[in-house]
Amino acid sequence: MSHWQLLDSTDNDEEIINKVIGVFTELYKTHFMDELLVNHHLPIEIRAFRHTDVWCIFLLLTPWTLARFFLPEREPGLKLPPGWLAEERATAPLTVIGPAMPVAILGGREQAHLNYHPKLGHYLIQPLIQSMEQFKTPEEAFHAWNEVIKTRNRVIEEQKKQCNWHKEVSRREFFAKLRKRS
């Protein structure tokens, strides 16, 4: 057993969204509010929330990053590295991006970074955009990511490659009903 600490309940999507927004609002206030390279005009939002495999997956926009977030609904079967048990992380300083871990999802493999927060438990985060200064609105940030996906999909098609994970992510993140919170 890997001893992942899970969120108390992942049954209610609205509760999950509110808890994550609350945690990242708290992180902003305690760690990022005075940072110069943070875009203080951007809100904290969640979009494209869905359940896949053992994960709740969504896009998380913050004033310091746009990231894909993997919150486990049950034990994900990934071994925690040394120093990452909940008891060890509870007293450790904030780690913005933890160690990289492989994630098998929808027949593909991705890399995401392990993180921990006492109110969320263990989770994985995949930074998509780490420089937010140029965006005036959340729509601009999500549009920039959408352009990256369009380019990637075009290159994959030109090379005649098949990637079910990327197709599913593209379809769900940008053609499904978007969920916003701030």
Side-chain angles (χ1 to χ4, degrees), residues 26-42:
E26 176 186 308
L27 289 173
Y28 172 71
K29 289 177 182 176
T30 58
H31 297 285
F32 295 100
M33 193 172 234
D34 297 324
E35 293 293 322
L36 293 176
L37 296 178
V38 169
N39 186 338
H40 301 286
H41 300 289
L42 290 177

Side-chain angles (χ1 to χ4, degrees), residues 13-79:
D13 293 353
E14 205 64 31
E15 284 180 23
I16 296 168
I17 290 168
N18 290 335
K19 185 165 273 200
V20 171
I21 289 173
V23 164
F24 278 82
T25 299
E26 176 186 308
L27 289 173
Y28 172 71
K29 289 177 182 176
T30 58
H31 297 285
F32 295 100
M33 193 172 234
D34 297 324
E35 293 293 322
L36 293 176
L37 296 178
V38 169
N39 186 338
H40 301 286
H41 300 289
L42 290 177
I44 296 171
E45 284 188 10
I46 288 177
R47 294 190 184 185
F49 186 96
R50 67 238 184 240
H51 300 271
T52 306
D53 297 334
V54 302
W55 307 99
C56 292
I57 303 174
F58 48 89
L59 295 178
L60 174 67
L61 174 72
T62 69
W64 61 95
T65 191
L66 174 63
R68 187 171 296 117
F69 203 96
F70 298 82
L71 186 66
E73 296 187 89
R74 61 186 181 275
E75 175 63 44
L78 298 171
K79 185 177 179 182

Side-chain angles (χ1 to χ4, degrees), residues 99-118:
M101 298 188 78
V103 181
I105 191 159
L106 296 174
R109 294 200 59 80
E110 290 288 313
Q111 288 279 349
H113 296 273
L114 179 63
N115 260 310
Y116 173 82
H117 189 280

Side-chain angles (χ1 to χ4, degrees), residues 140-154 174:
E140 286 183 11
F142 286 104
H143 177 74
W145 180 241
N146 194 23
E147 290 302 311
V148 169
I149 287 179
K150 284 181 188 177
T151 301
R152 182 199 60 218
N153 288 347
R154 188 184 76 246
F174 293 100

Side-chain angles (χ1 to χ4, degrees), residues 115-133:
N115 260 310
Y116 173 82
H117 189 280
K119 293 180 182 175
L120 299 177
H122 290 95
Y123 59 91
L124 299 175
I125 194 160
Q126 190 178 53
L128 304 174
I129 302 174
Q130 293 179 299
S131 177
M132 304 305 289
E133 301 89 37

